[in-house]
């Protein structure tokens, strides 16, 4: 059976500050290497709800407060209902840093402005301006959510990334953390959690590009998207991920992480 996938990419021009577009490239390649046809749908300010509904997987990257202020207006007015509906159906998503901050209850920007979020995730994010240091550096987490385990490629519980954020995220009780912080700040530098998972949507502070160094998460997103689209499990062909795991393990070694 010939299978295909459409990746909806939220605001590529406004939200791809730290190389997050690499996640889209990585997903596309991993599909093409398996003979899965891929379409990339850039979701911009003028993209209609009907077009968005064609996505089987949604990706969002990071941005600064200025772009986030533009984006949240459009998300709230034109895209909130359709995105919520899709996530409820199980459509998977990956949101890095600035984009998930807009999917919680609110994001308080560095100058104290409160941007009301979409409340897809039960969390809030506050940026304390110059009163707290920015959270920057290589980071490693241990995956806490067993539903994210894949059978398709080698699986590791570690996740590596590079964080760079001023906002600090505090989880509510209706959302699960994505990972336990082994090295780095994670959501807020206090409670030891990194990111969040709700339905099949992952929020995290891992830039990278994240998926290039974490092929297990890339494959989980692809197989989940296929499962929802075709209403059955589709086995993904294993790929030679020697280089991907080398990049992953390099960070583990550099940061002295052994699991
Ligand atoms: N503006 C946000 C912050 O500093 C997001 C930054 C980012 O996406 N890396 O917290």
């Amino acid at each position: 059976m010939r299978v295909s996938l459409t990746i909806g990419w939220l605001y590529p021009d406004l939200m791809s500050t730290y190389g997050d577009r690499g996640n889209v490239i990585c997903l596309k390649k991993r599909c093409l290497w398996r003979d899965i046809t891929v379409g990339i749908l850039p979701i911009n300010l003028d993209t209609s709800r009907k077009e968005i509904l064609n996505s089987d997987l949604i990706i969002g990257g990071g941005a600064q407060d200025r772009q986030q202020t533009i984006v949240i207006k459009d998300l709230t007015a034109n895209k909130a209902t359709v995105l919520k509906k899709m996530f409820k159906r199980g459509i998977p998503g990956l949101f890095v840093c600035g984009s998930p901050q807009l999917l919680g209850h609110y994001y308080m920007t560095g100058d104290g402005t409160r941007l009301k979020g979409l409340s897809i995730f039960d969390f809030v994010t506050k940026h304390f301006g110059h009163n707290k240091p920015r959270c920057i550096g290589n980071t490693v987490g241990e995956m806490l959510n067993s539903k994210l385990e894949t059978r398709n490629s080698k699986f590791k519980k570690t996740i590596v990334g590079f964080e760079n954020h001023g906002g600090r995220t505090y989880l509510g009780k209706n959302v699960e953390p994505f990972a336990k912080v082994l090295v780095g700040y994670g959501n807020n530098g206090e409670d030891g959690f990194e990111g969040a998972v709700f339905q099949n949507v992952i929020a995290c502070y891992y830039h990278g590009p994240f998926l290039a160094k974490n092929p297990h998460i890339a494959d989980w997103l692809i197989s989940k998207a296929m499962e929802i689209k075709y209403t059955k499990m589709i086995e993904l062909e294993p790929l030679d991920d020697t280089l991907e795991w080398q990049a992953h393990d390099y960070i583990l070694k550099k940061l002295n992480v052994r699991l």
Side-chain angles (χ1 to χ4, degrees), residues 7 9 20-29 40 59:
I7 302 172
W9 181 10
D20 297 314
R21 69 179 57 235
N23 290 332
V24 177
I25 297 168
C26 176
L27 287 166
K28 182 176 171 183
K29 280 286 185 190
I40 310 289
I59 300 292

Side-chain angles (χ1 to χ4, degrees), residues 18 62-65 68 97-98 101 107 127 134 164-167 207:
Y18 301 102
Q64 303 306 323
D65 291 7
Q68 286 173 283
C97 202
Q101 291 177 345
Y107 170 48
H127 191 312
R134 225 176 143 73
N164 186 351
H165 53 109
H207 292 288

Side-chain angles (χ1 to χ4, degrees), residues 27-46:
L27 287 166
K28 182 176 171 183
K29 280 286 185 190
R30 294 185 75 80
C31 286
L32 293 178
W33 286 331
R34 291 170 163 127
D35 233 2
I36 301 169
T37 310
V38 210
I40 310 289
L41 172 72
I43 303 176
N44 293 309
L45 297 174
D46 59 356

Side-chain angles (χ1 to χ4, degrees), residues 130-143:
H130 297 299
N131 297 323
K132 288 202 181 199
R134 225 176 143 73
C135 309
I136 307 177
N138 282 308
T139 173
V140 181
E142 179 184 353
M143 200 188 297

Side-chain angles (χ1 to χ4, degrees), residues 21 37 77 139 159 171 181 212 221 226 232:
R21 69 179 57 235
T37 310
T139 173
I159 315 170
L171 304 183
V181 178
L221 289 164
M226 305 273 257
K232 62 174 181 188

Side-chain angles (χ1 to χ4, degrees), residues 15 17-18 20 61-68 96-101 107-110 125-127 134-135 162-169 205 207:
M15 302 199 86
T17 317
Y18 301 102
D20 297 314
Q64 303 306 323
D65 291 7
R66 198 182 71 80
Q67 294 94 334
Q68 286 173 283
V96 180
C97 202
S99 51
Q101 291 177 345
Y107 170 48
M108 191 181 81
T109 63
T125 304
K126 300 177 199 179
H127 191 312
R134 225 176 143 73
C135 309
F162 186 87
E163 59 184 327
N164 186 351
H165 53 109
R168 285 166 161 79
T169 297
Y205 275 113
H207 292 288

Side-chain angles (χ1 to χ4, degrees), residues 90-138:
I91 301 274
L94 174 71
F95 296 95
V96 180
C97 202
S99 51
Q101 291 177 345
L102 304 178
L103 304 185
H105 300 305
Y106 66 83
Y107 170 48
M108 191 181 81
T109 63
D111 68 6
T113 308
R114 191 186 275 229
L115 304 179
K116 191 174 169 350
L118 304 193
S119 289
I120 287 170
F121 287 101
D122 181 20
F123 60 55
V124 300
T125 304
K126 300 177 199 179
H127 191 312
F128 297 94
H130 297 299
N131 297 323
K132 288 202 181 199
R134 225 176 143 73
C135 309
I136 307 177
N138 282 308

